[in-house]
Amino acid sequence: MRYSYQRRTCAIPRAKMFPKGTKRKFSDSREEPVAGGEDVNQSSLAAVRMLSSYSLQRQSLLDMSLIKLQLCHMLVEPNLCRSVLIANTVRQIQEEMTQDGTWQIMTQALSAANAAAQCSADRLVATEVLCRQTEAAQGEQVPKPFPVVGSEGCPAKEVLEEEAAAAEVGMTMSTVSPQAPTSYLPGTFGMDPCWEEEETGEDDDDEEEEEDSEECGSGSEGEERERDSLVEDTRTAEQVFGTFEIKNPAPSPDPALEELFSDVDASYYDLDTVLTGMQSVPKMGPYDLLESLSSHGPSPLSSSTSCRSDLNELDHIMEIIVGS
Amino acid sequence: MLNPIQVLCSDITSLSLEPEPFASYTEADIISTVEFNHTGELLATGDKGGRVVIFQREPEGKTEPFSQGEYNVYNTFQSHEPEFDYLKSLEIEEKINKIRWLPQQNAAHFLLSTNDKTVKLWKVSERDKRPEGYNLKDEEGRMKNLSTVTSLQVPVLKPMDLMVEVSPRRVFANAHTYHVNSISVNSDHETYMSADDLRINLWHLGITNRSFNIVDIKPVNMEDLTEVITAAEFHPHHCNLLVYSSSKGTLRLCDMREAALCDKHSKLFEEPEDPSNRSFFSEIISSVSDVKFSHSGRYLLTRDYLTAKVWDLNMENKPLEIYQVHEYLRSKLCSLYENDCIFDKFECVWNGSDSVIMTGAYNNFFRMFDRNTNRDVTLEASRESSKPRAVLKPRRVCQGGKRRKDDISVDSLDFTKKILHTAWHPTENIIAIAATNNLYIFQDKLNQEMHG
């Protein structure tokens, strides 16, 4: 009864209310709608709930894995097989999340949280390294060295926005080249790129983007819920990632120790020794595992990493020559 | 013809070497490897504290023809000590990862033992005679007063209490950057290989200052590392063939005649992934934890987290047989990942005739699969079964549904009690099971010889 009244009086076009266009049964008026357009919403709600719980599970698995990787640094050399398997799992999750678009949301939340804190140069570089996305977004199955967090979109998107002042690029950053700028402007993109994409939608003729916008459209509620949980989770993640601050080399704890390690060559500062738990070198903090894992070979970032270690080594050599 | 697995189940006697019940143990007592020698007369165990204990089988009693010799402690020695790597500021564990016996060539026995970094060759020899009647020394070894010596005598060998001496003959050090997980003696009896996470080295048993690298899977950029070597073994008859397994579930057969560096495999054994069972843990549970050639050299036995597989060397695209060891754990993978149990490395073994395979599981259970009859059994290595002559009772894990008496439910399994290391006598139905700090030896009373 009520429905028929509403149908006559409400201004919303019928097509919008009941997209499927099926007729209501009279007896359904009092009950929860079970047929027709409402059904679509319900099934999509259920799908969204399923998606959310899957995303939550996936997120908790990611957090767990990252913590496991950190705890690798013990007194004894960590088990390389275990580390590699966990790292592969993280990579797999990250690839999937990148394809879903949830990766971007997580990094946005993370960057928003980080924006408040003061950033040192090292920290920015670290975050930038985190923000880089693998080319796997293209859909190719080859696992690349993965950035632990982040889509390439973070800094690259900034560049685009500055250049074109256009709407967001989609989750798939395949059109964006991996040259990340050295500056990082936090929080200038919208919290929900999907929506912007939907509204403007004309940017790139990337098919994948359009697909994503469709997904976003239907999953918008889920995305919001996801985002909330992701923000919460990213606080945990942020505790993990935020400890990149430790990466700033502390004032040398023991000049004798420094001297002892002053002739260690730079080739030790790679994933090799990190994975094998090299703790003694003062330049590498305990979380460099994540950092090393995330840096690409032929990218300006890893060169800056090695430049820094070279500079540090030079400093050491200078100390020895000049100082003691 | 008696079915070996049936007889094995019903008439197994057990012999536990842990003297006191409820004795508390230290971490150093945890057994980390078990290995019979080539005749089965000796059984060696290594533990986390770097010690090796060798058991010897007593000869059969003459009065009771069916009373098989029992294993008693023959010798105990400290093989490896904890070390400290000053360059990396890390400890090097003294835990014995593997022991392999050399084929016996004279009265002495030789075995190789390894920890994460160093392989050592030990000589085990007996002394049961000593010379007596020296001219210049008296019985205690003190110099005699020469004025009391009036005649010359020839020293003679007199029997003495048996003394077992173990001495280190070779130390093969500084050849591995990563942790050594396997050693394997070649069928030429002159060389052996040691494998770590990324490399395999070939040694001559007589030369300690040089080894040849035959497999190297270390990527140029360590950031590209996605796969490690998990186990390696030489073929039992062909001295040029070796196999190594990886964390991605692949096996590679290499021929040393093809090239000096065997990075290119001769055969690659890999099972295509089942898309319906795909999860985030798929790769982890496909990682091969152990690989063993059959005694015939025709087959390979591998163990991954949930299954044991038999491969035919002539068929690379899929295994010949797949045995589900504890499929009920598939739904628990997330918790097992959380508590790290998913990374446990179970070993697997063949029996002497290659008709039965055995591997360990949780809750001190171990499983045997008869390849010919497709029957399998789950047994438990526990104190209840440790009374001498007690017959082992088959166990069952129920996963909900009907539950019989004495069934264990999946949720009440004890994941701290894991049987990672087992060994099977080379010719007889005698098995050695390492359960944390206890060694259980089970013998088949009735059926001494192998069938099939």
Side-chain angles (χ1 to χ4, degrees), chain A residues 18-270:
Chain A
F18 308 110
K20 276 208 172 164
T22 52
K23 286 197 177 163
R24 293 243 122 223
K25 283 192 207 168
F26 186 82
S27 56
D28 285 343
S29 59
R30 284 162 172 261
E31 298 166 316
E32 284 299 322
V34 289
E38 306 289 335
D39 192 26
V40 172
N41 288 342
Q42 263 214 327
S43 64
S44 65
L45 250 173
V48 145
R49 267 190 221 118
M50 231 169 57
L51 266 169
S52 298
S53 89
Y54 173 78
S55 302
L56 280 172
Q57 279 175 24
R58 186 176 58 184
Q59 181 67 44
S60 76
L61 185 62
L62 178 67
D63 292 341
M64 206 196 310
S65 306
L66 290 167
I67 291 171
K68 276 182 190 297
L69 282 176
Q70 289 195 351
L71 292 176
C72 280
H73 291 264
M74 298 176 292
L75 204 55
V76 190
E77 272 183 277
N79 187 335
L80 185 64
C81 181
R82 177 177 171 273
S83 305
V84 166
L85 287 172
I86 298 173
N88 288 350
T89 308
V90 171
R91 195 176 314 197
Q92 203 188 327
I93 297 174
Q94 187 250 346
E95 275 173 17
E96 198 181 285
M97 285 176 84
T98 309
Q99 284 166 12
D100 276 355
T102 41
W103 196 249
Q104 215 185 33
I105 294 167
M106 188 172 83
T107 53
Q108 284 172 27
L110 185 60
S111 62
N114 278 345
Q118 45 173 310
C119 309
S120 66
D122 286 294
R123 181 104 179 279
L124 282 177
V125 172
T127 325
E128 199 170 43
V129 162
L130 294 180
C131 285
R132 240 166 356 110
Q133 192 197 56
T134 65
E135 281 82 336
Q138 191 106 40
E140 65 188 59
Q141 290 312 308
V142 179
K144 291 290 174 80
F146 60 93
V148 169
V149 179
S151 63
E152 197 156 42
C154 300
K157 279 172 79 167
E158 299 311 310
V159 173
L160 279 175
E161 278 205 323
E162 285 174 302
E163 285 172 3
E168 295 306 316
V169 188
M171 276 71 73
T172 61
M173 305 307 290
S174 49
T175 54
V176 180
S177 69
Q179 283 113 30
T182 50
S183 70
Y184 171 73
L185 305 169
T188 52
F189 31 28
M191 279 305 286
D192 194 349
C194 295
W195 285 113
E196 289 188 27
E197 222 187 306
E198 239 188 26
E199 283 161 19
T200 60
E202 77 277 19
D203 279 322
D204 310 28
D205 352 348
D206 216 331
E207 286 176 16
E208 294 168 273
E209 283 190 8
E210 289 182 10
E211 278 173 27
D212 288 331
S213 62
E214 277 174 25
E215 277 170 25
C216 279
S218 61
S220 59
E221 269 181 62
E223 296 268 274
E224 272 183 37
R225 229 174 283 139
E226 239 174 23
R227 214 187 316 134
D228 290 339
S229 60
L230 276 168
V231 168
E232 275 169 24
D233 288 340
T234 51
R235 287 207 202 98
T236 332
E238 210 236 305
Q239 283 162 18
V240 168
F241 304 146
T243 50
F244 269 91
E245 279 176 294
I246 297 175
K247 212 179 70 58
N248 292 330
S252 66
D254 186 350
L257 205 63
E258 295 269 301
E259 265 197 15
L260 189 66
F261 295 106
S262 59
D263 59 346
V264 173
D265 67 325
S267 64
Y268 271 104
Y269 306 151
D270 59 277

Side-chain angles (χ1 to χ4, degrees), chain A residues 65 68 77 82 88 272, chain B residues 90 178 226 278 283 337 340:
Chain A
S65 306
K68 276 182 190 297
E77 272 183 277
R82 177 177 171 273
N88 288 350
D272 186 354
Chain B
L90 291 167
Y178 305 98
T226 56
R278 175 131 186 87
E283 188 184 317
Y337 180 72
D340 266 7

Side-chain angles (χ1 to χ4, degrees), chain B residues 388-402:
Chain B
R389 312 287 173 258
V391 171
L392 282 182
K393 190 180 58 172
R395 306 306 308 269
R396 217 175 82 105
V397 178
C398 70
Q399 313 170 53
K402 318 190 287 224

Side-chain angles (χ1 to χ4, degrees), chain B residues 63-82:
Chain B
T63 50
E64 293 175 62
F66 289 123
S67 154
Q68 276 302 300
E70 293 181 347
Y71 283 85
N72 297 319
V73 177
Y74 183 60
N75 189 278
T76 304
F77 64 95
Q78 186 75 34
S79 168
H80 286 73
E81 297 277 2

Side-chain angles (χ1 to χ4, degrees), chain B residues 138-185:
Chain B
D138 64 16
E139 296 306 309
E140 279 84 41
R142 290 188 297 252
M143 291 297 288
K144 277 185 190 170
N145 187 348
L146 285 177
S147 57
T148 64
V149 177
T150 51
S151 61
L152 280 179
Q153 58 182 347
V154 177
V156 291
L157 289 174
K158 295 266 175 72
M160 59 178 261
D161 290 336
L162 180 65
M163 200 165 74
V164 180
E165 297 173 333
V166 178
S167 58
R169 303 305 282 181
R170 304 272 187 276
V171 177
F172 304 92
N174 300 323
H176 286 283
T177 310
Y178 305 98
H179 291 177
V180 175
N181 52 54
S182 314
I183 45 175
S184 177
V185 183

